[in-house]
Amino acid sequence: KMSETASFTDPVFLARFGLFRFNALDYFLHPLNPFKTKSKTSNEVLLMQGIDIGTLMQQGTGGKPGPLSPTVAEDEYNLALSRLTGEQYELLPPPPDFDINQSQPLFVIRHVMRTNSSTNKVLGIYYILEGVIYKSPSVRSLGKANVTRTLEGLSEACDALGECSR
């Protein structure tokens, strides 16, 4: 099992392409990314068909000729993903006040198992912060860390009270 503090970065990709909404999934799907599943994902199936957000922005689709806005291209990509089943990575929407043309320091990616167009099970959450990919901590590990911090604080308080009573 991988450490909760593990991370991945590809400085060559970042220097060559930068990191934007339209290529964040491409960056995450890097073959050396240790967080990426070893199974073939629907994202990779779409990529083999020449479908990714950046290509959709440039060329459009059969029904919507390009160029497409980043938002429309992302919607078309998500629609194509929803038609496939199996493991997938989804780029979660940006904050409501986000300007799609601005660079963004944080991207959130959800790993799901899709069983039909409207049903999926979340397998993991990842985030890309300033070009570094991390796995989000589990609820269990967050709870464990909070309990540990609380117990350490209580222990220190008891030690301090013990010193005062002498």
Side-chain angles (χ1 to χ4, degrees):
K1 184 179 173 185
M2 193 174 302
S3 156
E4 295 230 350
T5 58
S7 64
F8 172 77
T9 187
D10 178 6
V12 175
F13 183 103
L14 296 172
R16 187 167 180 200
F17 304 109
L19 189 59
F20 303 93
R21 279 199 71 75
F22 70 85
N23 69 357
L25 278 173
D26 298 330
Y27 182 64
F28 185 85
L29 292 169
H30 189 288
L32 297 177
N33 177 2
F35 301 114
K36 183 182 141 323
T37 181
K38 304 299 179 225
S39 307
K40 184 166 292 290
T41 65
S42 299
N43 306 79
E44 292 163 311
V45 170
L46 290 178
L47 194 55
M48 287 189 289
Q49 297 171 6
I51 300 172
D52 64 31
I53 298 170
T55 304
L56 289 170
M57 284 173 58
Q58 294 171 356
Q59 299 174 4
T61 65
K64 295 182 181 174
L68 299 178
S69 73
T71 306
V72 172
E74 200 172 315
D75 289 346
E76 288 297 316
Y77 182 80
N78 290 333
L79 182 62
L81 258 187
S82 74
R83 293 184 183 123
L84 301 174
T85 58
E87 290 188 59
Q88 303 180 351
Y89 291 100
E90 303 171 336
L91 181 61
L92 295 185
D97 58 344
F98 174 69
D99 177 0
I100 199 83
N101 298 311
Q102 294 271 329
S103 68
Q104 174 179 356
L106 176 67
F107 301 94
V108 180
I109 294 175
R110 182 168 57 182
H111 181 197
V112 300
M113 174 62 79
R114 183 177 298 280
T115 52
N116 62 47
S117 63
S118 61
T119 307
N120 60 36
K121 176 184 176 195
V122 176
L123 302 176
I125 306 278
Y126 303 87
Y127 59 99
I128 305 172
L129 180 62
E130 299 288 346
V132 181
I133 301 172
Y134 302 93
K135 181 175 184 13
S136 288
S138 66
V139 172
R140 180 177 184 269
S141 68
L142 289 174
K144 186 177 174 183
N146 284 335
V147 168
T148 301
R149 261 194 314 277
T150 302
L151 290 176
E152 287 172 355
L154 287 172
S155 176
E156 289 170 11
C158 287
D159 291 346
L161 285 172
E163 292 292 321
C164 292
S165 66
R166 292 186 187 144

